[in-house]
Amino acid sequence: MHILYEVKDGIATLTLNRPEAANAQNAALLDELDAAWTRAAEDAEVKVIVVRAEGKHFSAGHDLKDRWPGPDEITLEWIYRAENRRYLEYTLRWRNVPKPSIAAVQGRCIAGGLMLCWPCDLIVAADDAQFSDPVVTMGIGGVEYHGHTWELGPRKAKEILFTGRPLTAEEAEKTGMVNRVVPRAELDTATRELAERIAAMPAFGLRQAKRAVNQTLDVQGFYAALQSVFDIHQTGHGNALSVSGYPILAKLDEMKEKLR
Ligand code: ZN
């Protein structure tokens, strides 16, 4: 079980439960997480959804040990189909679940980790949280779900992409990416309090408020931008495949060593 699921007082809590791997995302974890989101979406008892993580870190991103088939089978078509399903379709579905969602983030939240918290409506960060997308080091323009520009504004988005450096919880709050920062020990309590406050509101009002904000972003181009930047991302994989036979570029030997 990579995902724990609990409902209490109208709040569904989805817990990433792979702390031994810093909650790195393999296919099973993402499939279970998608099933948990769907379950919470369909359960009339659930008014608010919380996504949290066991252990020191929220998520180390995609699990490279469980991502691609062997060199003889890997093609850009394979990558495109797999990533479209698990990274783009899943995240957009979570983002549009018609109930408020809150991510509680601690420790490292790296690349694919952003795809687990950005689709949530609100983010509560522990003071030790660090958000980064170092995918440019692999010869690719950023992780599959391009929330960067929307979450951070164009300059900050470019800075973290160009440098790969992590954004601290405090910086993330300043850009509006994070709603509030709390001491690490208070992360679960603070998230719970926020969820309880929201759960006391009428469900239809919440649904329509969320739809109003999401529709406004979509009218501004959010949905179309995510689709087109996903395709830009795939040109990074295509380039890496063409020059090295492997879907990502830098640190290739190191990565391959880890895969053994
Ligand atoms: Zn990718």
Side-chain angles (χ1 to χ4, degrees):
M1 290 282 283
H2 295 312
I3 302 293
L4 305 177
Y5 184 91
E6 183 191 39
V7 178
K8 197 179 160 204
D9 303 329
I11 299 162
T13 302
L14 284 47
T15 299
L16 312 179
N17 189 35
R18 245 196 128 196
E20 71 285 359
N23 295 305
Q25 303 153 32
N26 55 20
L29 182 144
L30 291 169
D31 291 349
E32 281 182 41
L33 182 59
D34 184 61
W37 269 98
T38 301
R39 187 174 165 190
E42 290 175 354
D43 183 349
E45 298 293 308
V46 172
K47 289 185 73 183
V48 179
I49 299 162
V50 168
V51 177
R52 64 178 294 283
E54 273 303 306
K56 197 173 171 202
H57 302 293
F58 181 75
S59 178
H62 302 315
D63 187 345
L64 292 170
K65 288 180 190 157
D66 173 62
R67 196 165 169 197
W68 295 299
D72 296 338
E73 293 161 71
I74 190 85
T75 62
L76 185 56
E77 180 178 353
W78 190 99
I79 298 169
Y80 194 101
R81 283 173 186 268
E83 296 201 339
N84 188 64
R85 177 180 164 207
R86 290 209 169 86
Y87 303 155
L88 193 61
E89 289 181 6
Y90 278 5
T91 50
L92 288 173
R93 183 151 66 228
W94 304 339
R95 181 237 183 197
N96 287 326
V97 163
K99 298 176 179 181
S101 56
I102 309 171
V105 179
Q106 78 277 17
R108 296 283 184 149
C109 177
I110 304 171
L114 299 168
M115 296 164 50
L116 305 189
C117 66
W118 279 346
C120 291
D121 299 311
L122 308 177
I123 301 178
V124 179
D127 51 10
D128 70 344
Q130 291 190 41
F131 303 85
S132 63
D133 183 1
V135 169
V136 171
T137 62
M138 303 172 190
I140 297 177
V143 79
E144 290 82 4
Y145 180 98
H146 186 80
H148 315 61
T149 308
W150 300 90
E151 299 283 355
L152 305 170
R155 294 206 192 278
K156 215 65 183 172
K158 286 173 181 168
E159 183 190 334
I160 71 147
L161 285 167
F162 293 172
T163 64
R165 83 163 175 88
L167 206 64
T168 63
E170 197 182 329
E171 281 180 290
E173 188 182 27
K174 266 190 211 155
T175 69
M177 191 195 109
V178 154
N179 291 85
R180 63 185 67 167
V181 180
V182 299
R184 172 70 185 90
E186 293 166 24
L187 180 63
D188 285 330
T189 318
T191 306
R192 184 88 201 166
E193 281 171 7
L194 184 58
E196 283 169 357
R197 184 169 178 172
I198 295 169
M201 301 285 269
F204 193 64
L206 291 170
R207 181 188 181 115
Q208 299 306 74
K210 173 165 181 169
R211 187 164 164 77
V213 177
N214 282 10
Q215 281 290 98
T216 301
L217 289 170
D218 286 345
V219 167
Q220 290 173 338
F222 176 87
Y223 180 81
L226 255 72
Q227 301 292 325
S228 68
V229 180
F230 176 80
D231 287 5
I232 293 173
H233 173 94
Q234 295 303 323
T235 67
H237 285 312
N239 179 59
L241 272 180
S242 72
V243 301
S244 71
Y246 194 68
I248 53 178
L249 273 187
K251 298 184 180 170
L252 190 57
D253 293 336
E254 191 185 312
M255 300 267 178
K256 280 187 175 166
E257 196 55 44
K258 276 189 195 158
L259 291 170
R260 286 207 177 96

